[in-house]
Amino acid sequence: MIIWGDIFCLIPAKTGIQWNSGLNKSYLPKPRLNVGAFLFESDILACMNLSEIIIYTDGSSRGNPGPGGWGAIIATEERVVEIGKGDKHTTNNKMELSAAIESLGFVKNLGDAYTVDMHVDSRYVINGITKWVAGWEKNGWINSKKEEVLNRDLWEALAGVVSDLQMSGCKIKWNYTPGHAGIEGNDRADVIATMFADDDVPDLFNSRRSEYKVDLVPHAGDPKLLALKKTKSNSKSGVKAYSYLSLVDGKLVKHTSWAECEKRVKGVKGTKFKKSVSADDERAIIKEWLKQSD
């Protein structure tokens, strides 16, 4: 039930993906729909016809599984569109994959060849699409551990849209972007994803790039923030533990002592364990693990 103004619309209707229509009529072809109808994606996409596109994506989940969301920023030289969606029961990796699939699907629907600069803070997504997926497909979707590949449906969808874009002449560059490092595009995608995970609807931008307040110029991150993250990691050895965390066979457990944690992980292959020094540190460790294991 959207046409013009700062009102949310679903495009296309069947996907439930949300974005802000927020469009001035001068930027759109003459609408074919009456007020109260859905504004179809083709009407918006006709406005974006430039050679280079920058994309930032992120996914979030409150538990593994649990409620989650994903967010993406799609920017040409003239326009920026934010999209996202929530899910009541999902995982972090599924949301990371969904953000990549939907943002590249958006580019695919533009119907032209572009240079696509992808900025993703999930090594799981980047390694999967650039290193692993071809082998998985060749081996019947069985991984190196002789197990079925998790999230096969999403990996197939991502591989499919990447293949379609490459066939149409698009060039896709995958860039790892460290989270919480002062990279504004990543920070904004994180806000969109976490708001959807918390069942809150963010105010999604859709207008001229010159009006967008988020700096989308790619960079390696704020050196001070990166150094602070490294310092925090290196300084934990001399700080009293807040908790000990272990991840065994996909199950996360919090421990009050190292002895308890060690007993669970000792002699078990493929485990993760780590000391946290605060509640915030504990949450950060859990979030990072959820990005790496699904």
Side-chain angles (χ1 to χ4, degrees):
M1 37 189 264
I2 2 110
I3 288 296
W4 315 114
D6 294 329
I7 304 172
F8 291 103
C9 61
L10 308 180
I11 300 176
K14 66 180 181 180
T15 68
I17 297 171
Q18 297 196 31
W19 64 349
N20 190 329
S21 64
L23 296 169
N24 184 296
K25 290 183 182 180
S26 64
Y27 288 93
L28 292 172
K30 184 176 180 180
R32 301 187 303 275
L33 306 174
N34 295 323
V35 174
F38 282 103
L39 183 62
F40 284 99
E41 191 169 16
S42 57
D43 294 315
I44 308 292
L45 300 180
C47 305
M48 302 175 68
N49 188 28
L50 294 174
S51 60
E52 184 176 18
I53 293 176
I54 296 174
I55 296 176
Y56 285 87
T57 68
D58 200 12
S60 177
S61 69
R62 302 303 198 189
N64 197 39
W70 61 265
I73 303 166
I74 304 162
T76 69
E77 293 179 4
E78 292 188 351
R79 193 165 198 88
V80 175
V81 177
E82 296 179 341
I83 62 175
K85 188 179 178 183
D87 194 312
K88 297 294 185 183
H89 189 76
T90 187
T91 65
N92 190 278
N93 281 348
K94 287 180 179 179
M95 293 294 91
E96 294 281 3
L97 284 165
S98 295
I101 293 165
E102 299 298 345
S103 58
L104 290 175
F106 192 104
V107 174
K108 176 184 172 181
N109 287 334
L110 297 179
D112 209 341
Y114 302 90
T115 297
V116 184
D117 207 14
M118 290 288 292
H119 296 270
V120 182
D121 69 357
S122 169
R123 294 191 187 278
Y124 170 74
V125 171
I126 294 174
N127 288 334
I129 195 61
T130 62
K131 299 177 181 179
W132 304 333
V133 74
W136 288 340
E137 187 172 13
K138 182 179 179 180
N139 295 327
W141 294 95
I142 300 298
N143 64 23
S144 59
K145 297 179 181 179
K146 308 301 181 184
E147 299 170 344
E148 291 186 3
V149 173
L150 295 174
N151 303 318
R152 173 179 172 177
D153 57 333
L154 295 174
W155 282 116
E156 287 183 314
L158 181 57
V161 72
V162 166
S163 176
D164 289 344
L165 286 171
Q166 291 173 337
M167 290 290 288
S168 70
C170 288
K171 307 282 186 186
I172 304 172
K173 182 180 179 182
W174 294 89
N175 306 277
Y176 173 70
T177 301
H180 308 290
I183 301 172
E184 293 187 26
N186 174 261
D187 290 344
R188 175 57 184 165
D190 177 71
V191 168
I192 296 170
T194 54
M195 287 186 71
F196 276 116
D198 292 334
D199 202 24
D200 192 6
V201 180
D203 185 9
L204 298 175
F205 184 90
N206 187 346
S207 190
R208 294 187 186 96
R209 183 165 175 173
S210 61
E211 298 173 358
Y212 197 52
K213 304 303 182 184
V214 178
D215 183 4
L216 298 178
V217 176
H219 63 91
D222 185 327
K224 292 182 179 179
L225 290 175
L226 291 169
L228 181 60
K229 290 175 70 174
K230 186 176 181 179
T231 300
K232 286 182 177 179
S233 177
N234 292 338
S235 65
K236 289 180 183 179
S237 58
V239 179
K240 183 179 179 179
Y242 174 81
S243 68
Y244 293 91
L245 304 171
S246 66
L247 185 67
V248 179
D249 294 331
K251 185 178 180 181
L252 177 68
V253 175
K254 301 178 186 180
H255 309 278
T256 57
S257 69
W258 165 241
E260 180 183 306
C261 180
E262 183 182 28
K263 183 178 179 180
R264 183 170 189 249
V265 302
K266 191 172 183 178
V268 182
K269 294 183 179 180
T271 64
K272 292 180 181 292
F273 54 91
K274 202 165 189 178
K275 179 179 80 172
S276 72
V277 296
S278 68
D280 288 341
D281 186 38
E282 182 182 82
R283 284 192 291 269
I285 293 169
I286 293 172
K287 182 177 180 179
E288 181 62 25
W289 284 0
L290 294 182
K291 284 181 178 292
Q292 298 172 359
S293 62
D294 230 317

